[in-house]
Each structure stands twice: as structure tokens, then as C-alpha cells.
Amino acid sequence: MRLLHTMLRVGDLDKSIAFYTEVLGMTLLRRKDYPDGQFTLAFVGYGDEAHNSVIELTYNWGVDAYELGTGYGHIALEVDDVYKACDDIRARGGKITREPGPMKHGTSILAFVEDPDGYKIELLSPSRKD
């Protein structure tokens, strides 16, 4: 078994694709409309789906917002340098919601960014020990 993807419902598919590709540097792997079901799926990631876990962005036609709920946490991305990644993301229009620095009650360097729908994305250093 292996993890294939994580699905997020989004209110503006083009805006979400732009965030994940232009701000976070992922690639749009595929996109398909399903007219009978009135939804569109787009898959983004850092590599092909055969060898990498990806994110499925689901746009239900006519729905422009969702309540995130209290059960959802975040997606975590490993980056070479959390401080530089935040500078790059900020320069590309991304919203940093937790500035880079040590984890509370730990030593790992992390930060959080928010996508257009409010989903949290954690940025972690590869040298983390917590």
C-alpha cells in the first residue's frame, strides 16, 4: 500500500491551482471536468503520481466556499530552508500565518502558510528532530 493523494475541496479552482503551482512550486499534473457530476478535479504535486503522493483539488461547480471544520489539521511540506521558503512564498503573494522559527516546546524549525481557501500548510526543515 502507499498514500496516493489528499483531497481538498476548493472554492475557486483557478486561484487554488495558481497558489499550489506558482506560490508553492508544484506542477499541475492533470485536470478533468465531470459535467454529469458538476465537478472538476485537478491534481498537483512535486512529481508524477506513479512515484509521489499528490494533492487532489476538487471544485464542485457553484460552490465558492467551505467550512474547514475543527478536525482538519494541515499538510506538511519539507523545504531545504524554512526561512528562505517563507521569503519566496511571501514574494509570490503567499500568506504566512506563522513566521519561521523553532517549534513551541521543541527545536524543529517550522512555519505555516495558508492557501486561498484557508487550508494550512506546514513548512518543515529536513534537519528536524522533534
Side-chain angles (χ1 to χ4, degrees):
M1 287 189 211
R2 71 181 184 92
L3 181 63
L4 296 176
H5 63 259
T6 296
M7 185 273 267
L8 301 175
R9 290 184 176 88
V10 300
D12 182 329
L13 186 58
D14 292 329
K15 190 173 184 180
S16 292
I17 290 171
F19 172 80
Y20 284 96
T21 60
E22 297 169 17
V23 176
L24 294 184
M26 294 183 186
T27 300
L28 175 61
L29 303 168
R30 60 188 169 105
R31 176 181 177 158
K32 184 174 179 184
D33 292 329
Y34 293 84
D36 290 343
Q38 297 190 340
F39 65 93
T40 302
L41 301 181
F43 291 80
V44 294
Y46 291 112
D48 67 80
E49 293 176 75
H51 301 98
N52 298 277
S53 299
V54 300
I55 298 173
E56 173 189 332
L57 303 174
T58 299
Y59 172 65
N60 293 298
W61 300 357
V63 180
D64 63 0
Y66 290 94
E67 291 184 29
L68 298 186
T70 58
Y72 175 78
H74 61 268
I75 294 168
L77 301 178
E78 184 177 87
V79 298
D80 290 332
D81 181 328
V82 176
Y83 294 93
K84 182 178 181 331
C86 285
D87 289 343
D88 293 345
I89 288 168
R90 193 178 285 108
R92 292 189 295 261
K95 179 181 176 184
I96 307 298
T97 59
R98 196 258 198 208
E99 291 295 327
M103 178 179 109
K104 197 180 251 186
H105 311 295
T107 60
S108 293
I109 302 300
L110 59 86
F112 278 88
V113 62
E114 189 175 276
D115 85 351
D117 290 281
Y119 293 110
K120 303 289 190 230
I121 297 142
E122 182 179 25
L123 306 176
L124 286 165
S125 166
S127 61
R128 63 191 174 275
K129 294 177 178 53
D130 298 309

